[in-house]
């Protein structure tokens, strides 16, 4: 709990000071140290500030300051002391060990993209996050815990960022996290072989005046190049202890954890606060702003005044947003503008450029004294590979070959395990049908759950194979090259080369693809990429393609797949071009993207990522799709009818329309049951919903059952297949469903689908409104429901128009 949570007369024990810099130093000087009892005496008349009794004297704090001090109730603290005295010590491996708040260390991992933060996070926390070898794979903070030497480590893996300027969503996220959460220790992960660039972020963290440890990651790459780094001397120069690590193997991690404990307990000799000294003209400007900021006692203590002053000079928009609510902001802004004008007049550059140059100069000087080459070895493997994969002659053919191989493996190799899963589901259905008594519960399990979920889970192998290919491209570093070679084409569309990465990820799932657009610094390019991503055919649509292409175009299935994927891409390209031309006419930022060295993905990482996707898909089966299947079943199951409710002519018509496979194997009792089920479904709640919508889809020659399936797809696109299964055959048998969809009625001579209507249906499914999860991702990433609604209306309109054109053209053939 926080000190501000105490009530008058209550006593607590201080366990942690969450603030940093001047605030932390000041309150510790006044006796706010770990283990000290403190009592809340009373609140001011307006409830702020608050008076406390500490070390035989009274002190007042504002509520906001008291909220930055963590305490434990006195009785809990005394109980822990008794346990330490009387109870036999428990080993660290015992999961029941309760770690006190005084022994809890909140850690934030901060570093450049592709520096190995997530690998380090996985080792320390035991989590299984995906590690991709391209910038921006970590698109949100991930949390994990571990126990080590009596301490509880709460570890947060923050998005990769090159600086703490509000230039990209990642930088903005990291800045706000460090402001609002104030972790106890920042672990700055840097790449040992690229220190000059990585340490720029370090200098900004030093300006913050936070407790910090530097993890010198990928230390083996430095050794391979025969470069010697005196990291201890460099750490003393920076005032931050440096620990060499190899996160991929776990080497050096224990040393890193030991150092974190030392810094947390204020016992590390290398820890000291330094200023990255700038040239005198800049220091004068910084000092004037620092003096002005210090005069405001209401200013938050989350960041040091020097950090605030530097960010003000750089005209950082997030700093403006944070400080403009204070009464003195106009005065700070006036000082900032005067100093900027002076610097530009005297030095010929704006403050931001001058400060960056000075920091890089400091880094160069520090490395010149601590880093030495001993006959440096050059690894040419990346250059050799890039000579082919980024070549203007070979780059595109290689990329197209990889794409073709990915889709071929997804559908051809994936067909074998699909058959095995289908057999298991069929066996399980027969088992349930044989032993379970008749009734609504049996119908729910067989028709709703197994018939719905079972018809979708068979496509798990296809999805796993697709994600394995995407993961390999990410992990190896090839995905960054794809963005590189596609940049010119993306630019013609009005997008960044980086936009291609979310588009490729969209082949797996649109939700993580939309989230990955955070790697795009340009707001307009990012927004366009988000809005066109649902046109990229995700893996959830695969079951629908397999069903209808297999039923109506068995000899041209691969061409149907390729055509649909290409159509989605073409619609996305045209939409992006139109948006850039008429809506977002300017692109705010240039294309800048790191091309990391190639690395061979480990089998462990690949299998772990594949299992992670399998786990997500299975959870989706047991969650969203299961619920949607049950709802669809219930809507088609109620209201209930009996045999006396069925008109005779309806029974005759139904008999005439049944496939031969049902007629041959069914006795009279079974046929009566089938007729009753058909009547039940055609007069159910779902049928009325479908018939209400059906006039809109009538020009595409789609029945009300097809309309019901499309509506059910709003939950998840896989549900379209399960809905068709429930409505047409009440079974999970994909083969029987395929027969039913193409069997003409003996009365009307018309099948539920024709080749033309099937093609139109496929095009509509490809392009119409995204699933609920995708719409939610769009709203979350854009920050407004406006774009979610736009995606629903625009996508559905485009889908109807192109589906109608496809249907009319198909009728000609």
């Amino acid at each position: 709990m926080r000190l501000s949570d105490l009530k008058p007369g209550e006593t607590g024990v201080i366990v942690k000071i969450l603030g940093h810099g001047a605030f932390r130093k000041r309150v510790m000087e006044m006796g706010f140290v770990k283990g000290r009892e403190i009592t809340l005496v009373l609140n001011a008349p307006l409830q702020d500030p608050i008076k406390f009794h500490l070390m035989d004297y009274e002190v007042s704090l504002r509520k906001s300051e008291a909220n930055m001090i963590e305490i434990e109730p006195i009785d809990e603290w005394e109980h822990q002391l008794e346990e330490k005295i009387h109870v036999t010590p428990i080993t660290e491996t015992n999961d029941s060990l309760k770690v006190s708040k005084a022994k809890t260390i909140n850690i934030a991992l901060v570093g450049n993209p592709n520096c190995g933060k997530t690998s380090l996070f996985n080792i320390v926390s035991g989590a299984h996050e995906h590690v991709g070898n391209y910038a921006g794979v970590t698109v949100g903070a991930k949390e994990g815990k571990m126990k080590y030497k009596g301490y509880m480590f709460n570890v947060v893996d923050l998005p990769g960022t090159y600086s703490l300027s509000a230039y990209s969503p990642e930088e903005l996220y990291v800045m706000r996290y460090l402001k609002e959460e104030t972790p106890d220790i920042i672990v700055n992960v840097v790449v040992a072989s690229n220190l000059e660039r990585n340490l720029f972020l370090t200098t900004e963290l030093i300006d913050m005046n936070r407790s910090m440890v530097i993890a010198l990651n990928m230390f083996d790459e430095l050794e391979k190049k025969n470069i010697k780094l005196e990291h201890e001397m460099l750490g003393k120069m920076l005032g931050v202890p440096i620990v060499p690590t190899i996160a991929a193997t776990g080497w050096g991690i224990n040393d890193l954890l030991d150092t974190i404990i030392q810094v947390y307990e204020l016992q590390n000799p290398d820890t000291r606060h330094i200023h990255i000294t700038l040239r005198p003209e800049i220091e004068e400007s910084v000092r004037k702003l620092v003096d002005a900021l210090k005069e405001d006692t209401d200013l938050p203590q989350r960041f040091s005044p020097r950090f605030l002053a530097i960010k003000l000079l750089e005209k950082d928009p997030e700093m403006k947003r944070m400080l403009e609510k204070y009464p003195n902001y106009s005065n700070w802004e006036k000082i900032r503008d005067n100093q900027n004008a002076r610097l530009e007049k005297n030095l010929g550059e704006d403050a931001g450029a001058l400060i960056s140059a000075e920091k890089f100069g400091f880094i160069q000087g520090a490395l010149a004294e601590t880093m030495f080459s001993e006959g440096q070895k050059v690894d040419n493997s990346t250059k050799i590979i890039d000579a082919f994969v980024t070549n203007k002659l070979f780059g595109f053919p290689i990329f197209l070959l990889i794409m073709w191989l990915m889709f071929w493996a997804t559908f051809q190799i994936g067909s074998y395990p699909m058959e095995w899963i289908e057999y298991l589901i069929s066996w399980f259905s027969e088992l349930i049908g044989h032993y379970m008594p008749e009734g609504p519960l049996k119908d729910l399990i067989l028709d709703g759950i197994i018939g719905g979920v079972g018809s979708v889970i068979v496509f798990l192998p296809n999805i796993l194979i697709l994600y394995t290919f995407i993961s390999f491209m990410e992990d190896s570093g090839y995905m960054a090259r794809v963005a590189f070679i596609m940049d010119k084409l993306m630019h013609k569309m009005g997008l960044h080369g980086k936009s291609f990465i979310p588009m490729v990820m969209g082949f797996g799932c649109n939700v993580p693809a939309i989230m990955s657009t955070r790697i795009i610094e340009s707001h307009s390019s990012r927004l366009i990429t988000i809005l066109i991503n649902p046109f990229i055919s995700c893996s959830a649509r695969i079951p629908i393609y397999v069903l209808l292409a297999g039923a109506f175009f068995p000899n041209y299935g691969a061409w149907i797949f390729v055509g649909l994927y290409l159509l989605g891409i073409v619609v996305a390209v045209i939409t992006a071009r139109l948006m850039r031309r008429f809506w977002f006419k300017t692109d705010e930022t240039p294309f800048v993207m790191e091309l990391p060295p190639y690395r061979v993905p480990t089998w462990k990482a690949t299998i772990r990522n594949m299992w992670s996707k399998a786990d997500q898909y299975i959870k989706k089966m047991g969650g969203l799709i299961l619920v949607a299947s049950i709802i669809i079943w219930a809507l088609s199951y109620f209201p209930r009818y009996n045999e006396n409710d069925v008109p005779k002519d309806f029974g005759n018509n139904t008999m005439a329309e049944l496939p031969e496979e049902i007629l041959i194997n069914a006795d009279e009792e079974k046929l009566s049951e089938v007729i009753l089920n058909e009547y039940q479904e055609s007069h159910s709640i779902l049928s009325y919903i479908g018939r209400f919508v059906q006039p809109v889809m009538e020009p595409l020659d789609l029945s009300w059952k097809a309309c019901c399936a499309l509506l059910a797809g709003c939950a998840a696109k896989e549900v379209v297949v399960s809905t068709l299964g429930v409505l047409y055959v009440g079974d999970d048998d994909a083969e029987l469903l395929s027969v039913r969809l193409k069997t003409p009625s003996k009365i009307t001579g018309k099948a539920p689908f024709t080749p033309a209507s099937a093609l139109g249906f496929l095009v509509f499914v490809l392009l119409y409104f995204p699933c609920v999860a995708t719409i939610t991702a769009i709203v979350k990433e854009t920050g407004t429901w406006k774009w979610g609604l736009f995606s629903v209306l625009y996508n559905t309109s485009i889908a109807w128009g192109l589906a109608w054109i496809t249907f009319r053209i198909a009728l000609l053939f």
Side-chain angles (χ1 to χ4, degrees), residues 132-155:
N133 191 18
Y134 72 90
V137 73
T138 306
V139 294
K142 303 175 180 69
E143 299 183 14
K145 296 178 181 289
M146 77 165 295
K147 292 175 184 175
Y148 181 78
K149 293 189 175 180
Y151 289 82
M152 174 65 77
F153 288 74
N154 294 331
V155 188

PDB file of all heavy atoms in Angstrom, residues 132-155:
ATOM      1  N   GLY A 132      11.541 -11.692 -32.248  1.00  0.00           N
ATOM      2  CA  GLY A 132      11.721 -11.523 -33.687  1.00  0.00           C
ATOM      3  C   GLY A 132      12.925 -10.656 -33.973  1.00  0.00           C
ATOM      4  O   GLY A 132      13.197  -9.696 -33.263  1.00  0.00           O
ATOM      5  N   ASN A 133      13.660 -10.979 -35.044  1.00  0.00           N
ATOM      6  CA  ASN A 133      14.883 -10.262 -35.355  1.00  0.00           C
ATOM      7  C   ASN A 133      14.587  -9.098 -36.293  1.00  0.00           C
ATOM      8  O   ASN A 133      15.122  -9.010 -37.384  1.00  0.00           O
ATOM      9  CB  ASN A 133      15.891 -11.230 -35.988  1.00  0.00           C
ATOM     10  CG  ASN A 133      17.277 -10.602 -36.088  1.00  0.00           C
ATOM     11  OD1 ASN A 133      17.565  -9.627 -35.420  1.00  0.00           O
ATOM     12  ND2 ASN A 133      18.110 -11.169 -36.923  1.00  0.00           N
ATOM     13  N   TYR A 134      13.675  -8.218 -35.903  1.00  0.00           N
ATOM     14  CA  TYR A 134      13.466  -6.969 -36.626  1.00  0.00           C
ATOM     15  C   TYR A 134      12.861  -5.970 -35.667  1.00  0.00           C
ATOM     16  O   TYR A 134      12.255  -6.325 -34.659  1.00  0.00           O
ATOM     17  CB  TYR A 134      12.580  -7.153 -37.863  1.00  0.00           C
ATOM     18  CG  TYR A 134      11.125  -7.400 -37.570  1.00  0.00           C
ATOM     19  CD1 TYR A 134      10.232  -6.346 -37.463  1.00  0.00           C
ATOM     20  CD2 TYR A 134      10.645  -8.688 -37.396  1.00  0.00           C
ATOM     21  CE1 TYR A 134       8.891  -6.573 -37.198  1.00  0.00           C
ATOM     22  CE2 TYR A 134       9.303  -8.917 -37.131  1.00  0.00           C
ATOM     23  CZ  TYR A 134       8.443  -7.852 -37.037  1.00  0.00           C
ATOM     24  OH  TYR A 134       7.122  -8.075 -36.773  1.00  0.00           O
ATOM     25  N   ALA A 135      13.058  -4.701 -35.983  1.00  0.00           N
ATOM     26  CA  ALA A 135      12.641  -3.648 -35.066  1.00  0.00           C
ATOM     27  C   ALA A 135      11.143  -3.666 -34.855  1.00  0.00           C
ATOM     28  O   ALA A 135      10.372  -3.765 -35.794  1.00  0.00           O
ATOM     29  CB  ALA A 135      13.078  -2.283 -35.614  1.00  0.00           C
ATOM     30  N   GLY A 136      10.732  -3.557 -33.591  1.00  0.00           N
ATOM     31  CA  GLY A 136       9.321  -3.389 -33.290  1.00  0.00           C
ATOM     32  C   GLY A 136       8.560  -4.648 -32.987  1.00  0.00           C
ATOM     33  O   GLY A 136       7.349  -4.625 -32.905  1.00  0.00           O
ATOM     34  N   VAL A 137       9.268  -5.791 -32.793  1.00  0.00           N
ATOM     35  CA  VAL A 137       8.515  -7.017 -32.528  1.00  0.00           C
ATOM     36  C   VAL A 137       7.811  -6.949 -31.185  1.00  0.00           C
ATOM     37  O   VAL A 137       6.772  -7.532 -30.985  1.00  0.00           O
ATOM     38  CB  VAL A 137       9.429  -8.250 -32.620  1.00  0.00           C
ATOM     39  CG1 VAL A 137      10.363  -8.324 -31.429  1.00  0.00           C
ATOM     40  CG2 VAL A 137       8.612  -9.531 -32.705  1.00  0.00           C
ATOM     41  N   THR A 138       8.399  -6.220 -30.233  1.00  0.00           N
ATOM     42  CA  THR A 138       7.741  -6.024 -28.942  1.00  0.00           C
ATOM     43  C   THR A 138       6.884  -4.767 -29.038  1.00  0.00           C
ATOM     44  O   THR A 138       7.411  -3.672 -29.109  1.00  0.00           O
ATOM     45  CB  THR A 138       8.785  -5.862 -27.816  1.00  0.00           C
ATOM     46  OG1 THR A 138       9.666  -6.970 -27.845  1.00  0.00           O
ATOM     47  CG2 THR A 138       8.116  -5.792 -26.466  1.00  0.00           C
ATOM     48  N   VAL A 139       5.592  -4.931 -29.076  1.00  0.00           N
ATOM     49  CA  VAL A 139       4.709  -3.788 -29.317  1.00  0.00           C
ATOM     50  C   VAL A 139       3.948  -3.369 -28.071  1.00  0.00           C
ATOM     51  O   VAL A 139       3.077  -2.526 -28.134  1.00  0.00           O
ATOM     52  CB  VAL A 139       3.719  -4.101 -30.463  1.00  0.00           C
ATOM     53  CG1 VAL A 139       4.452  -4.251 -31.760  1.00  0.00           C
ATOM     54  CG2 VAL A 139       2.908  -5.352 -30.164  1.00  0.00           C
ATOM     55  N   GLY A 140       4.248  -3.915 -26.935  1.00  0.00           N
ATOM     56  CA  GLY A 140       3.599  -3.530 -25.690  1.00  0.00           C
ATOM     57  C   GLY A 140       4.405  -4.063 -24.523  1.00  0.00           C
ATOM     58  O   GLY A 140       5.266  -4.908 -24.684  1.00  0.00           O
ATOM     59  N   ALA A 141       4.143  -3.548 -23.343  1.00  0.00           N
ATOM     60  CA  ALA A 141       4.877  -3.996 -22.169  1.00  0.00           C
ATOM     61  C   ALA A 141       4.414  -5.385 -21.748  1.00  0.00           C
ATOM     62  O   ALA A 141       3.221  -5.663 -21.699  1.00  0.00           O
ATOM     63  CB  ALA A 141       4.687  -3.001 -21.033  1.00  0.00           C
ATOM     64  N   LYS A 142       5.382  -6.256 -21.455  1.00  0.00           N
ATOM     65  CA  LYS A 142       5.079  -7.600 -20.965  1.00  0.00           C
ATOM     66  C   LYS A 142       5.651  -7.731 -19.566  1.00  0.00           C
ATOM     67  O   LYS A 142       6.751  -7.258 -19.305  1.00  0.00           O
ATOM     68  CB  LYS A 142       5.669  -8.654 -21.904  1.00  0.00           C
ATOM     69  CG  LYS A 142       5.183  -8.524 -23.342  1.00  0.00           C
ATOM     70  CD  LYS A 142       5.902  -9.511 -24.250  1.00  0.00           C
ATOM     71  CE  LYS A 142       5.418  -9.364 -25.679  1.00  0.00           C
ATOM     72  NZ  LYS A 142       5.849  -8.075 -26.274  1.00  0.00           N
ATOM     73  N   GLU A 143       4.936  -8.401 -18.689  1.00  0.00           N
ATOM     74  CA  GLU A 143       5.344  -8.500 -17.292  1.00  0.00           C
ATOM     75  C   GLU A 143       5.627  -9.939 -16.915  1.00  0.00           C
ATOM     76  O   GLU A 143       4.962 -10.864 -17.382  1.00  0.00           O
ATOM     77  CB  GLU A 143       4.252  -7.937 -16.380  1.00  0.00           C
ATOM     78  CG  GLU A 143       3.957  -6.472 -16.625  1.00  0.00           C
ATOM     79  CD  GLU A 143       2.930  -5.915 -15.653  1.00  0.00           C
ATOM     80  OE1 GLU A 143       2.659  -6.598 -14.649  1.00  0.00           O
ATOM     81  OE2 GLU A 143       2.418  -4.819 -15.906  1.00  0.00           O
ATOM     82  N   GLY A 144       6.633 -10.131 -16.068  1.00  0.00           N
ATOM     83  CA  GLY A 144       6.980 -11.448 -15.566  1.00  0.00           C
ATOM     84  C   GLY A 144       7.571 -11.333 -14.167  1.00  0.00           C
ATOM     85  O   GLY A 144       7.931 -10.245 -13.717  1.00  0.00           O
ATOM     86  N   LYS A 145       7.660 -12.463 -13.476  1.00  0.00           N
ATOM     87  CA  LYS A 145       8.188 -12.469 -12.113  1.00  0.00           C
ATOM     88  C   LYS A 145       9.207 -13.591 -11.950  1.00  0.00           C
ATOM     89  O   LYS A 145       9.151 -14.600 -12.651  1.00  0.00           O
ATOM     90  CB  LYS A 145       7.064 -12.688 -11.089  1.00  0.00           C
ATOM     91  CG  LYS A 145       6.011 -11.589 -11.046  1.00  0.00           C
ATOM     92  CD  LYS A 145       4.914 -11.935 -10.037  1.00  0.00           C
ATOM     93  CE  LYS A 145       3.844 -10.856  -9.995  1.00  0.00           C
ATOM     94  NZ  LYS A 145       4.320  -9.625  -9.370  1.00  0.00           N
ATOM     95  N   MET A 146      10.124 -13.396 -11.009  1.00  0.00           N
ATOM     96  CA  MET A 146      11.032 -14.469 -10.615  1.00  0.00           C
ATOM     97  C   MET A 146      11.550 -14.187  -9.211  1.00  0.00           C
ATOM     98  O   MET A 146      11.550 -13.049  -8.745  1.00  0.00           O
ATOM     99  CB  MET A 146      12.204 -14.588 -11.591  1.00  0.00           C
ATOM    100  CG  MET A 146      13.283 -13.537 -11.416  1.00  0.00           C
ATOM    101  SD  MET A 146      14.825 -13.936 -12.260  1.00  0.00           S
ATOM    102  CE  MET A 146      15.353 -15.387 -11.385  1.00  0.00           C
ATOM    103  N   LYS A 147      11.983 -15.255  -8.518  1.00  0.00           N
ATOM    104  CA  LYS A 147      12.585 -15.127  -7.197  1.00  0.00           C
ATOM    105  C   LYS A 147      14.068 -15.426  -7.309  1.00  0.00           C
ATOM    106  O   LYS A 147      14.472 -16.375  -7.993  1.00  0.00           O
ATOM    107  CB  LYS A 147      11.921 -16.093  -6.214  1.00  0.00           C
ATOM    108  CG  LYS A 147      10.480 -15.741  -5.902  1.00  0.00           C
ATOM    109  CD  LYS A 147       9.828 -16.784  -5.018  1.00  0.00           C
ATOM    110  CE  LYS A 147       8.350 -16.466  -4.806  1.00  0.00           C
ATOM    111  NZ  LYS A 147       7.662 -17.517  -4.043  1.00  0.00           N
ATOM    112  N   TYR A 148      14.858 -14.624  -6.629  1.00  0.00           N
ATOM    113  CA  TYR A 148      16.306 -14.797  -6.694  1.00  0.00           C
ATOM    114  C   TYR A 148      16.936 -14.255  -5.414  1.00  0.00           C
ATOM    115  O   TYR A 148      16.752 -13.080  -5.063  1.00  0.00           O
ATOM    116  CB  TYR A 148      16.861 -14.063  -7.915  1.00  0.00           C
ATOM    117  CG  TYR A 148      18.362 -14.187  -8.105  1.00  0.00           C
ATOM    118  CD1 TYR A 148      18.920 -15.338  -8.649  1.00  0.00           C
ATOM    119  CD2 TYR A 148      19.214 -13.156  -7.739  1.00  0.00           C
ATOM    120  CE1 TYR A 148      20.279 -15.459  -8.827  1.00  0.00           C
ATOM    121  CE2 TYR A 148      20.591 -13.257  -7.905  1.00  0.00           C
ATOM    122  CZ  TYR A 148      21.114 -14.412  -8.453  1.00  0.00           C
ATOM    123  OH  TYR A 148      22.471 -14.534  -8.632  1.00  0.00           O
ATOM    124  N   LYS A 149      17.612 -15.134  -4.685  1.00  0.00           N
ATOM    125  CA  LYS A 149      18.326 -14.767  -3.459  1.00  0.00           C
ATOM    126  C   LYS A 149      17.448 -13.993  -2.474  1.00  0.00           C
ATOM    127  O   LYS A 149      17.856 -12.991  -1.879  1.00  0.00           O
ATOM    128  CB  LYS A 149      19.583 -13.972  -3.791  1.00  0.00           C
ATOM    129  CG  LYS A 149      20.630 -14.797  -4.527  1.00  0.00           C
ATOM    130  CD  LYS A 149      21.951 -14.070  -4.669  1.00  0.00           C
ATOM    131  CE  LYS A 149      23.001 -14.982  -5.306  1.00  0.00           C
ATOM    132  NZ  LYS A 149      24.299 -14.306  -5.464  1.00  0.00           N
ATOM    133  N   GLY A 150      16.211 -14.451  -2.321  1.00  0.00           N
ATOM    134  CA  GLY A 150      15.312 -13.844  -1.358  1.00  0.00           C
ATOM    135  C   GLY A 150      14.583 -12.617  -1.861  1.00  0.00           C
ATOM    136  O   GLY A 150      13.802 -12.019  -1.124  1.00  0.00           O
ATOM    137  N   TYR A 151      14.821 -12.228  -3.112  1.00  0.00           N
ATOM    138  CA  TYR A 151      14.157 -11.065  -3.688  1.00  0.00           C
ATOM    139  C   TYR A 151      13.136 -11.509  -4.732  1.00  0.00           C
ATOM    140  O   TYR A 151      13.331 -12.517  -5.419  1.00  0.00           O
ATOM    141  CB  TYR A 151      15.171 -10.130  -4.361  1.00  0.00           C
ATOM    142  CG  TYR A 151      16.056  -9.385  -3.399  1.00  0.00           C
ATOM    143  CD1 TYR A 151      17.195  -9.988  -2.853  1.00  0.00           C
ATOM    144  CD2 TYR A 151      15.768  -8.078  -3.023  1.00  0.00           C
ATOM    145  CE1 TYR A 151      18.012  -9.309  -1.959  1.00  0.00           C
ATOM    146  CE2 TYR A 151      16.583  -7.389  -2.131  1.00  0.00           C
ATOM    147  CZ  TYR A 151      17.700  -8.004  -1.604  1.00  0.00           C
ATOM    148  OH  TYR A 151      18.504  -7.331  -0.726  1.00  0.00           O
ATOM    149  N   MET A 152      12.071 -10.745  -4.847  1.00  0.00           N
ATOM    150  CA  MET A 152      11.101 -10.945  -5.911  1.00  0.00           C
ATOM    151  C   MET A 152      11.345  -9.884  -6.987  1.00  0.00           C
ATOM    152  O   MET A 152      11.322  -8.696  -6.722  1.00  0.00           O
ATOM    153  CB  MET A 152       9.674 -10.817  -5.388  1.00  0.00           C
ATOM    154  CG  MET A 152       8.616 -10.874  -6.480  1.00  0.00           C
ATOM    155  SD  MET A 152       8.558 -12.467  -7.325  1.00  0.00           S
ATOM    156  CE  MET A 152       7.676 -13.435  -6.092  1.00  0.00           C
ATOM    157  N   PHE A 153      11.630 -10.330  -8.193  1.00  0.00           N
ATOM    158  CA  PHE A 153      11.862  -9.429  -9.313  1.00  0.00           C
ATOM    159  C   PHE A 153      10.580  -9.335 -10.148  1.00  0.00           C
ATOM    160  O   PHE A 153      10.127 -10.340 -10.710  1.00  0.00           O
ATOM    161  CB  PHE A 153      12.996  -9.951 -10.206  1.00  0.00           C
ATOM    162  CG  PHE A 153      14.363  -9.841  -9.592  1.00  0.00           C
ATOM    163  CD1 PHE A 153      14.764 -10.690  -8.569  1.00  0.00           C
ATOM    164  CD2 PHE A 153      15.268  -8.893 -10.026  1.00  0.00           C
ATOM    165  CE1 PHE A 153      16.016 -10.598  -8.011  1.00  0.00           C
ATOM    166  CE2 PHE A 153      16.529  -8.792  -9.471  1.00  0.00           C
ATOM    167  CZ  PHE A 153      16.905  -9.639  -8.455  1.00  0.00           C
ATOM    168  N   ASN A 154       9.990  -8.156 -10.209  1.00  0.00           N
ATOM    169  CA  ASN A 154       8.886  -7.882 -11.141  1.00  0.00           C
ATOM    170  C   ASN A 154       9.492  -7.230 -12.374  1.00  0.00           C
ATOM    171  O   ASN A 154       9.935  -6.075 -12.316  1.00  0.00           O
ATOM    172  CB  ASN A 154       7.847  -6.953 -10.506  1.00  0.00           C
ATOM    173  CG  ASN A 154       7.144  -7.592  -9.337  1.00  0.00           C
ATOM    174  OD1 ASN A 154       6.989  -8.812  -9.289  1.00  0.00           O
ATOM    175  ND2 ASN A 154       6.721  -6.790  -8.379  1.00  0.00           N
ATOM    176  N   VAL A 155       9.517  -7.962 -13.472  1.00  0.00           N
ATOM    177  CA  VAL A 155      10.227  -7.511 -14.662  1.00  0.00           C
ATOM    178  C   VAL A 155       9.229  -7.096 -15.736  1.00  0.00           C
ATOM    179  O   VAL A 155       8.279  -7.826 -16.035  1.00  0.00           O
ATOM    180  CB  VAL A 155      11.146  -8.623 -15.216  1.00  0.00           C
ATOM    181  CG1 VAL A 155      12.023  -8.079 -16.344  1.00  0.00           C
ATOM    182  CG2 VAL A 155      12.007  -9.203 -14.104  1.00  0.00           C
TER     183      VAL A 155
END
